[in-house]
Amino acid sequence: MRFDEILTNDDVLDGLWDMHFDECTPIQEQAIPIIMEGNDLLACAQTGTGKTAAYLLPVINMLADGGYPEDAINCVVMAPTRELAQQIDRQLQGFAYFMPVSGMAIYGGTDGHTYDQQRKSLKMGADVVIATPGRLLAHLNMGYVDLSKVSFFILDEADRMLDMGFYDDIMQIVSKLPKERQTLLFSATMPPKIQQMANKILHNPAEIKLAVSKPAEKIRQSAYICHESQKLPILKKIFEENPPQRVIVFSSSKLKVKNLARELRDKNIRIAEMHSDLDQSKRDDVILDFKAGKIQVIVATDILARGIDIDDIEMVVNYDVPREAEDYVHRIGRTARADRDGRAVTFVSPEEFSKLKRIERLLEKDIPKEEVPDELGGAPRMSRESNIRNGKTRHFRKASGQSQNKRNNRRRNGSKDRNRSSNEQAQQTVPV
């Protein structure tokens, strides 16, 4: 479908023409008509599908058609990170180039001059405010931000915002909005906590769920089945055999990231950390140094899984298996971009077997397994099957012949047969 079939404002279409935007992506084709009709929307679509344009274009189209208050904030877009807020703001400026639609990105980690600019823009009433939750709430608490005339409230990458602990901030911001508004929630994954928030802030929403696309074929995926204590030695050995040039290592927590970075610095690797404890200027410096080749390895939480625009990352290491299978796709999607080859390595401890199984089900194939080096000691073995009961995972190998029959007898006959089976086995061990 073409944009001129679903958008009505000529100025918007002129902007798209100059940007060589002609055909809609699937999320745009489905979302734009719903938004133009004034409905709330709950959409599940991963990064890279064109979801930013899917909500910006119809909102800009409606603002350009008029009927909304001047000198007021008409739309609020929430984003989890400064990087994403900046990216959305750049797209807004491009789409609205021929229109008197104003926008402002609001985020932390800035100097006093930038904060003052943000304050003035909020007081004057930019049409579209793109903000991280914490910084917008800080401005709100100062008393000069009026959200009472907001017509559009948009949450982008809502799952990331909840993972980063922004739920309370978001709900405080929602409490300042008018009840009569259009709310759009976009998320790459749809865990129960997203559904719960959607039930609170959306009104009879339309729902869109696009299937998560598979990782690029050029990514060479593999996994090490190992004990937790073996992960660091395996990683060091990988770097010894193939000195890293541009690698991202994902870990599950800020503490692990800090400890891992410290250990790798001892190997004379140029390394940097990326997590929510860093202020924004430091994060920017890390990305710039990484792009310039001054840093070989970034150790990061999932704050870096989305929104980083670097095309030549050679390898992604999942030091810990991500909690959601879809996050695995986002992480390894950082490599093999722009038609390049890439490698993705995942370390899997016994406690993470069920997470790996979920990833493999999503991919509809097994991830090839690497052998743990002999000098690092024995590794655990992952069985073909796993049963998940009461939140716990049991792993076992398929039994055959007499062993399988005994297991079936024990299940049917209870403890008496278990004792009998034990006696039989004891007798079999007596030499004749």
Side-chain angles (χ1 to χ4, degrees):
M1 182 177 287
R2 296 174 57 87
F3 284 110
D4 56 14
E5 297 179 72
I6 53 177
L7 295 171
T8 60
N9 188 278
D10 289 337
D11 290 335
V12 177
L13 293 171
D14 286 345
L16 290 174
W17 177 266
D18 281 359
M19 297 171 71
H20 305 290
F21 278 43
D22 298 316
E23 296 286 335
C24 301
T25 66
I27 184 63
Q28 293 161 2
E29 182 175 339
Q30 294 185 50
I32 290 175
I34 292 171
I35 298 170
M36 293 284 286
E37 291 171 1
N39 297 308
D40 283 8
L41 175 63
L42 175 60
C44 184
Q46 69 187 90
T47 300
T49 56
K51 60 182 174 57
T52 305
Y55 62 75
L56 280 183
L57 287 173
V59 167
I60 293 170
N61 191 107
M62 289 185 278
L63 290 174
D65 285 345
Y68 296 89
E70 298 181 2
D71 301 327
I73 298 172
N74 289 303
C75 174
V76 172
V77 181
M78 306 302 306
T81 64
R82 171 183 179 174
E83 292 82 5
L84 183 57
Q86 291 173 321
Q87 179 179 308
I88 296 168
D89 185 47
R90 286 193 295 269
Q91 287 197 260
L92 173 66
Q93 303 309 321
F95 293 147
Y97 185 79
F98 294 102
M99 292 169 291
V101 174
S102 59
M104 180 67 186
I106 306 294
Y107 45 77
T110 58
D111 56 22
H113 176 69
T114 303
Y115 186 93
D116 191 53
Q117 284 184 319
Q118 293 177 0
R119 181 181 59 81
K120 290 179 180 178
S121 295
L122 288 168
K123 291 177 71 174
M124 292 174 62
D127 285 310
V128 182
V129 169
I130 304 147
T132 54
R135 179 46 59 100
L136 180 58
L137 189 60
H139 283 289
L140 273 169
N141 290 335
M142 297 298 292
Y144 47 75
V145 181
D146 180 12
L147 300 183
S148 65
K149 298 178 182 178
V150 169
S151 296
F152 308 98
F153 182 58
I154 303 167
L155 295 168
D156 196 352
E157 294 199 1
D159 52 347
R160 299 302 313 140
M161 285 192 277
L162 296 195
D163 285 345
M164 295 168 67
F166 286 133
Y167 176 82
D168 290 339
D169 289 354
I170 291 170
M171 296 311 294
Q172 286 189 58
I173 293 167
V174 168
S175 70
K176 306 293 184 181
L177 299 172
K179 291 186 178 181
E180 294 297 322
R181 65 176 190 272
Q182 187 175 2
T183 303
L184 315 173
L185 190 155
F186 287 79
S187 182
T189 60
M190 202 58 64
K193 58 188 178 182
I194 290 293
Q195 292 283 356
Q196 292 166 7
M197 185 170 72
N199 292 338
K200 291 184 177 181
I201 67 174
L202 300 178
H203 178 68
N204 294 329
E207 295 191 21
I208 298 172
K209 185 169 185 179
L210 297 185
V212 177
S213 62
K214 302 299 186 288
E217 291 296 326
K218 286 181 171 288
I219 302 176
R220 181 163 60 90
Q221 302 177 56
S222 64
Y224 285 89
I225 307 303
C226 59
H227 295 293
E228 184 69 28
S229 60
Q230 294 174 316
K231 289 183 177 182
L232 181 58
I234 295 171
L235 182 60
K236 289 181 176 179
K237 190 168 184 63
I238 289 173
F239 286 167
E240 287 172 1
E241 295 174 352
N242 298 283
Q245 295 302 317
R246 194 158 296 183
V247 177
I248 298 177
V249 180
F250 286 106
S251 191
S252 60
S253 69
K254 292 182 289 187
L255 180 59
K256 269 193 171 183
V257 165
K258 294 173 184 178
N259 292 337
L260 185 55
R262 184 177 62 252
E263 291 284 350
L264 292 177
R265 286 192 187 98
D266 292 341
K267 304 298 290 184
N268 294 320
I269 296 172
R270 298 193 304 275
I271 196 164
E273 307 167 16
M274 181 70 81
H275 47 73
S276 59
D277 280 354
L278 299 181
D279 62 38
Q280 198 59 56
S281 61
K282 179 60 177 176
R283 290 190 215 174
D284 290 343
D285 290 343
V286 169
I287 296 298
L288 289 174
D289 287 346
F290 191 55
K291 288 181 176 180
K294 297 178 182 178
I295 292 172
Q296 297 167 293
V297 178
I298 294 180
V299 185
T301 60
D302 275 322
I303 195 173
L304 201 63
R306 309 175 197 176
I308 179 175
D309 186 21
I310 301 175
D311 289 334
D312 53 350
I313 294 171
E314 63 179 15
M315 182 167 64
V316 170
V317 178
N318 293 304
Y319 194 83
D320 301 301
V321 184
R323 285 176 293 180
E324 302 291 339
E326 291 89 346
D327 285 337
Y328 174 84
V329 177
H330 290 299
R331 285 183 180 185
I332 72 171
R334 301 303 93 202
T335 188
R337 305 180 82 178
D339 204 33
R340 292 179 171 88
D341 294 330
R343 184 182 177 192
V345 179
T346 302
F347 300 153
V348 188
S349 67
E351 295 76 18
E352 298 170 307
F353 285 172
S354 61
K355 296 178 184 178
L356 179 62
K357 286 294 184 184
R358 287 196 291 271
I359 291 169
E360 291 179 329
R361 283 197 294 271
L362 177 66
L363 301 180
E364 297 179 338
K365 67 177 184 180
D366 288 345
I367 297 174
K369 309 304 186 293
E370 304 269 11
E371 291 292 330
V372 175
D374 292 337
E375 63 267 27
L376 300 183
R381 296 184 64 83
M382 187 174 182
S383 63
R384 292 183 179 180
E385 301 181 20
S386 63
N387 279 355
I388 301 176
R389 295 181 179 178
N390 300 323
K392 296 182 179 179
T393 304
R394 297 195 309 141
H395 301 274
F396 53 86
R397 295 178 180 82
K398 288 185 176 179
S400 60
Q402 186 177 5
S403 297
Q404 184 65 51
N405 291 335
K406 286 181 179 179
R407 177 176 293 159
N408 292 336
N409 288 337
R410 288 197 294 271
R411 288 173 177 167
R412 285 194 299 266
N413 301 321
S415 61
K416 182 182 292 185
D417 282 343
R418 283 200 297 272
N419 293 335
R420 184 181 301 125
S421 178
S422 298
N423 292 335
E424 289 172 357
Q425 291 176 355
Q427 291 172 7
Q428 290 173 2
T429 63
V430 177
V432 178

